[in-house]
Amino acid sequence: MTSSIATVPADPQGATKILVLGATGATGRLIINQAVARGYDVTVLVRSAEKARDITGAKLIVGDARDETALRAALKGREAVVSALGTPVSPFREVTLLSTATRALVSAMKAEQVSRLVCITGMGAGDSAGHGGFVADNVIFPLLLKKVYADKDRQEAIVKDSGLDWVLVRPSILNNKPGRGSVRALTDLSGFHGGSIAREDVATFVLDQVRADTWLHRSPLITW
């Protein structure tokens, strides 16, 4: 399925109130910029105010995404959450950040009665494993990202079992090229191996899911 995407200058239905996690990452920053351009009311939860000093147009709350109390405070008055949380390559050490934070987030969202969650994971998570292409599937994932993707799998399972109105977005290999304004969103991966996509297009697709039900309770892989 091909999705046309474009940054919307303003939200015609009023200021949608969102919380963004992972705001200081490369994709997270684009999500914030585009959300502000759409007229959204944006709150971000970050561990370091210093790293977020150049983020503009959003309300900044300092706290740990694994802390349910901090999450509940950040969720006050929000209608939806976009999670762009990431974690560094970790070939040897166990990774638990994504699943721990997502478990706390789901609990906090239920407590604050916020139902919409759009969560970025990645190509290679869940049933998209084995579709990254020869190098990714035989070198990058098993040698560098095995533990990261084990935690992404746990993260996805938590989201799917949450009872929330969720969408899991699995981008192919990210690049920093200009967006094309359209993506392929796939759930049938037969014959698909590899691919790339601009962070800019990922940000737009993710924000589209805040208001649309097209991919509700589904896990599209998005690519060019």
Side-chain angles (χ1 to χ4, degrees):
M1 178 176 179
T2 301
S3 299
S4 295
I5 53 179
T7 301
V8 180
D11 181 353
Q13 299 184 41
T16 300
K17 299 174 176 64
I18 66 170
L19 169 64
V20 179
L21 304 180
T24 59
T27 304
R29 289 174 181 274
L30 291 170
I31 289 169
I32 294 164
N33 291 343
Q34 291 189 23
V36 171
R38 293 184 186 210
Y40 285 11
D41 179 334
V42 183
T43 295
V44 300
L45 178 67
V46 296
R47 291 188 66 183
S48 168
E50 177 65 20
K51 289 184 178 180
R53 67 185 183 280
D54 58 338
I55 291 177
T56 59
K59 178 183 177 181
L60 183 67
I61 296 179
V62 178
D64 194 319
R66 296 167 293 187
D67 180 354
E68 187 175 337
T69 300
L71 286 163
R72 289 193 62 175
L75 281 163
K76 299 291 184 185
R78 302 294 93 189
E79 299 171 273
V81 177
V82 173
S83 175
L85 287 172
T87 189
V89 171
S90 181
F92 307 113
R93 299 179 63 179
E94 290 300 321
V95 175
T96 60
L97 169 66
L98 301 174
S99 57
T100 301
T102 302
R103 190 174 293 108
L105 175 63
V106 167
S107 181
M109 288 179 68
K110 289 180 176 179
E112 297 300 327
Q113 299 182 345
V114 180
S115 62
R116 178 60 62 112
L117 171 60
V118 185
C119 181
I120 302 173
T121 57
M123 177 178 67
D127 59 8
S128 69
H131 291 274
F134 181 84
V135 174
D137 292 340
N138 293 280
V139 180
I140 297 174
F141 285 116
L143 297 183
L144 299 177
L145 295 175
K146 182 177 181 179
K147 295 184 183 299
V148 170
Y149 269 79
D151 202 38
K152 286 183 184 286
D153 288 345
R154 291 189 288 268
Q155 179 186 29
E156 287 202 350
I158 292 165
V159 171
K160 289 179 178 180
D161 291 340
S162 67
L164 299 172
D165 295 332
W166 56 267
V167 181
L168 288 167
V169 180
R170 298 165 169 170
S172 57
I173 296 173
L174 296 166
N175 64 59
N176 295 315
K177 296 177 181 178
R180 296 181 178 177
S182 65
V183 303
R184 288 189 295 152
L186 310 171
T187 51
D188 179 359
L189 300 181
S190 55
F192 176 82
H193 297 286
S196 64
I197 189 169
R199 295 177 189 275
E200 184 178 332
D201 282 341
V202 173
T204 308
F205 182 87
V206 164
L207 284 172
D208 287 347
Q209 309 320 308
V210 168
R211 303 184 67 90
D213 291 340
T214 307
W215 298 101
L216 191 63
H217 298 149
R218 300 168 74 187
S219 311
L221 184 153
I222 58 172
T223 192
W224 279 344

